[in-house]
Amino acid sequence: VSGRGVGMDAVRSMIGAMNGAIDIRSEIGRGTTFTFKIPLTLAIIQALLITIGEAIYALPLELVVEILTVTPEMIDARDGHGALRIREHVIRLVDLKDVIGIRSGHAPGEDTRRVAVLADGARRAGVFVDEFLKETEIIIKPLPHQFAHVKGISGVTVLGDGRVALILDPKVILQAT
């Protein structure tokens, strides 16, 4: 009764920015119905939120098969790259700074490192991670066309607290192994 529609205008702008629409129907004595139409091109996936350096990233959970803490003794240097034996598999360890230029916050001499093991069919790789935050559902937003060529990043998401997280592309990481 007392509003001036400023809030609804902000909602309309946000829905319009996603190529959606709002339909408003009012009937005296019955109320108002708001219908929001949002395109299905916004995909929702389960993701593992991680930190690498100071930034938060999202790894699609469908390709994460295991989370480990490894010590230097567990890592075997092969061809200048680390490898790790996990049960019947030997997997290559990947530092994302070598694949997509993300610098880790790992301090040299630190006793343990965290590893997310990714698998896509027969390919497996372990990715060094500074910290595991949580599993969550995220909405994938496509990268603006200026950044569509960035290797190893498949999209972006806005977290519940307003921070932005880049979505890592596990297939690019696995191809680097």
Side-chain angles (χ1 to χ4, degrees):
V1 174
S2 65
R4 292 178 175 76
V6 175
M8 184 51 68
D9 185 56
V11 170
R12 183 184 58 80
S13 295
M14 290 178 71
I15 297 293
M18 294 188 290
N19 294 322
I22 298 177
D23 183 41
I24 304 171
R25 296 183 190 260
S26 291
E27 285 186 48
I28 296 174
R30 296 209 55 197
T32 303
T33 302
F34 296 87
T35 304
F36 297 89
K37 296 177 184 173
I38 300 172
L40 290 176
T41 56
L42 299 177
I44 297 175
I45 63 166
Q46 284 291 118
L48 177 63
L49 296 182
I50 61 173
T51 62
I52 301 171
E54 297 292 318
I56 297 175
Y57 297 91
L59 266 173
L61 206 51
E62 66 183 353
L63 296 180
V64 177
V65 294
E66 197 166 355
I67 296 171
L68 304 168
T69 300
V70 298
T71 61
E73 301 81 41
M74 297 168 70
I75 299 173
D76 179 21
R78 295 177 183 220
D79 302 325
H81 299 288
L84 182 65
R85 177 172 288 285
I86 304 173
R87 291 168 293 287
E88 70 277 1
H89 300 285
V90 175
I91 62 167
R92 182 169 174 198
L93 294 171
V94 177
D95 199 333
L96 289 178
K97 75 175 167 63
D98 299 331
V99 179
I100 55 180
I102 299 171
R103 296 224 179 265
S104 170
H106 172 72
E110 198 175 305
D111 282 346
T112 61
R113 303 236 10 221
R114 294 163 194 88
V115 173
V117 179
L118 308 176
D120 180 18
R123 293 185 301 181
R124 288 181 175 261
V127 177
F128 286 116
V129 169
D130 291 336
E131 185 179 359
F132 294 106
L133 298 178
K134 66 179 181 176
E135 282 183 33
T136 188
E137 285 187 339
I138 60 170
I139 297 175
I140 300 174
K141 296 185 179 197
L143 289 170
H145 72 278
Q146 303 94 315
F147 301 105
H149 68 281
V150 176
K151 180 182 172 185
I153 305 295
S154 62
V156 67
T157 190
V158 179
L159 304 175
D161 61 5
R163 292 182 293 175
V164 174
L166 295 174
I167 302 168
L168 297 174
D169 187 345
K171 294 185 181 197
V172 170
I173 296 166
L174 287 164
Q175 286 173 353
T177 60

